């Protein structure tokens, strides 16, 4: 019997070195795209997939991430007094039921696999989703919803996958693929950050997964992989052949917000989706980029 997916782990203990100095005293996952921090997009996406229990894997200097999900009573009272109803609504949208959000600490950033292992008590014997908040997916059906649907169809593990240019395989976890119906791809093997000439395909895993709890047993070994880190991909690879394992070509567009250019692209794409902002942003881009006009033109 396939267990219903109710839990999500959100690892947020990385150092965010690519965004220094912005991330010196602020968590990368608190950086906003338009007016919402990355962490809130991830939690919203998980909730839209039926997730009810959340675990943030945090580290030093990440307190704001947890406080973001507290109720700001004084602020809400002030907004109410001042009649700022839209702002009040925006704050209330992120209220989670009491006890829905838990945190565990990863004292040292030893890798994504290690971060997930830190959440082992939260995971228990249940299937769980992983969302890396710095991957943002713009989609009509939220990406985790698409994954959850595929998981309830197939059971086992399902990871969101996208084609990447072959020259870039060394940045990603890459699939060795079997049967492929254009949507679901059977996973035969997984390799973390292979050189283009060694890559078994150009299908890469993005920061959305549904995994079975058995992965914890393989993480437990703390084998070091690419970059000397405990790699989630290596532990997942050990599940292949033991449980069904699929890649899902999700519908939508992914932005790598852990990268400066990806983060800027996300700002533009999400602003262009907002009716209150799109005309001004489009006009700015047209003048500034297309017509080559300078800032004062
Ligand atoms: P990244 O590979 O983007 O690393 O982690 P990072 O430290 O956040 O950023 P850079 O590369 O130094 O700029 C992907 C996700 O995994 C989490 C990060 O917080 C991010 O959400 N992570 C990574 C951990 O929680 N712990 C780790 O040890 C490593």
């Amino acid at each position: 019997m396939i267990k219903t997916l109710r839990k999500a782990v959100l690892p947020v203990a990385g150092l965010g070195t690519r965004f220094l100095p912005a991330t010196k005293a602020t968590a990368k996952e608190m950086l906003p795209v338009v007016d919402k921090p990355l962490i809130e997009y991830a939690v919203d996406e998980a909730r839209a997939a039926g997730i009810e229990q959340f675990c943030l894997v945090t580290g030093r200097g990440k307190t704001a991430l947890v406080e973001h999900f507290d109720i700001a009573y004084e602020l809400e009272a002030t907004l109410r007094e001042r009649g700022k109803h839209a702002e009040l609504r925006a704050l209330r949208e992120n209220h989670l039921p009491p006890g829905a959000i838990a945190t565990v600490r990863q004292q040292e950033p030893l890798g994504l696999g290690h971060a997930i292992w830190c959440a082992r008590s939260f995971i228990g014997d249940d299937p769980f989703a992983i969302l890396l908040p710095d991957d943002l997916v713009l989609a009509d059906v939220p990406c985790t919803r698409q994954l959850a649907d595929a998981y309830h169809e197939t059971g086992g593990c399902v990871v969101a996958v996208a084609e990447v240019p072959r020259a870039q395989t060394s940045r990603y976890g890459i699939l060795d693929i079997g049967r492929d119906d254009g949507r679901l791809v059977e996973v035969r093997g997984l390799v973390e950050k292979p050189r283009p000439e060694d890559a078994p395909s150009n299908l890469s895993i993005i920061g959305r997964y549904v995994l079975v709890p058995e992965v914890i047993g393989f993480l437990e070994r703390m084998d070091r992989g690419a970059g000397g880190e405990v790699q989630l991909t290596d532990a997942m690879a050990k599940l292949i052949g033991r449980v069904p394992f699929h890649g899902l070509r999700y519908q939508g567009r992914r932005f790598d917000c852990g990268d400066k250019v990806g983060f800027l692209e996300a700002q533009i794409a999400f602003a262009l989706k907002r009716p209150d902002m799109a005309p001004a942003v489009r006009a700015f881009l047209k003048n500034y980029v297309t017509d080559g006009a300078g800032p004062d033109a």
Side-chain angles (χ1 to χ4, degrees):
M1 197 192 69
I2 297 174
K3 270 193 176 177
T4 307
L5 184 67
R6 298 259 180 253
K7 293 182 176 176
V9 178
L10 293 89
V12 291
L15 297 177
T17 54
R18 285 170 290 169
F19 268 96
L20 285 168
T23 47
K24 187 179 165 202
T26 307
K28 172 173 72 173
E29 299 80 7
M30 280 305 289
L31 297 177
V33 168
V34 184
D35 52 9
K36 207 158 88 166
L38 290 170
I39 187 71
E40 195 174 328
Y41 283 100
V43 168
D44 286 351
E45 184 184 312
R47 288 171 95 183
I51 301 291
E52 294 168 353
Q53 297 172 50
F54 303 84
C55 180
L56 300 185
V57 183
T58 67
R60 265 174 71 77
K62 303 278 183 169
T63 329
L65 279 166
V66 186
E67 285 178 1
H68 186 71
F69 293 96
D70 284 343
I71 297 178
Y73 284 108
E74 290 172 6
L75 178 59
E76 291 192 9
T78 308
L79 292 175
R80 204 173 308 111
E81 266 167 37
R82 297 189 181 170
K84 292 192 174 284
H85 302 297
E87 290 80 355
L88 192 57
R89 258 199 314 280
L91 280 192
R92 291 209 165 143
E93 272 168 15
N94 87 2
H95 287 182
L96 290 167
I101 196 151
T103 59
V104 296
R105 304 290 274 190
Q106 185 192 26
Q107 287 87 344
E108 290 176 279
L110 298 179
L112 179 58
H114 183 261
I116 299 303
W117 177 78
C118 289
R120 61 198 178 281
S121 304
F122 168 84
I123 294 164
D125 291 328
D126 295 315
F128 62 103
I130 301 173
L131 293 91
L132 306 188
D134 48 5
D135 261 343
L136 196 51
V137 187
L138 188 58
D140 293 336
V141 178
C143 184
T144 304
R145 168 90 267 163
Q146 298 177 43
L147 271 190
D149 289 347
Y151 159 77
H152 290 123
E153 226 174 285
T154 62
C157 298
V158 190
V159 293
V161 298
E163 317 254 342
V164 293
R166 192 159 267 274
Q168 293 178 8
T169 55
S170 60
R171 296 194 207 163
Y172 302 99
I174 299 289
L175 268 58
D176 184 3
I177 60 178
R179 223 166 353 96
D180 181 356
D181 71 8
R183 174 177 165 262
L184 276 177
V185 188
E186 184 195 355
V187 180
R188 280 216 200 121
L190 290 169
V191 198
E192 185 61 31
K193 301 187 171 59
R195 292 181 307 180
E197 58 273 30
D198 301 329
S201 77
N202 67 337
L203 263 191
S204 90
I205 308 179
I206 71 151
R208 299 288 184 276
Y209 314 68
V210 174
L211 300 182
V212 292
E214 288 77 9
V215 74
I216 296 296
F218 294 108
L219 288 170
E220 198 100 38
R221 302 177 183 177
M222 295 296 148
D223 297 331
R224 302 295 176 116
E229 297 194 337
V230 180
Q231 295 288 355
L232 179 62
T233 308
D234 297 342
M236 290 191 312
K238 306 223 169 65
L239 291 168
I240 297 167
R242 297 170 197 255
V243 296
F245 207 128
H246 294 89
L248 174 74
R249 285 198 179 84
Y250 60 95
Q251 300 290 316
R253 166 132 197 192
R254 169 245 189 186
F255 297 92
D256 177 4
C257 293
D259 170 79
K260 289 191 254 287
V261 173
F263 185 63
L264 275 174
E265 288 173 354
Q267 301 287 353
I268 296 167
F270 278 71
L272 289 174
K273 280 274 169 194
R274 291 268 296 256
D276 57 331
M277 298 173 67
V281 174
R282 193 167 286 114
F284 168 78
L285 289 174
K286 190 169 179 306
N287 286 338
Y288 201 88
V289 184
T290 319
D291 298 345
D296 297 316

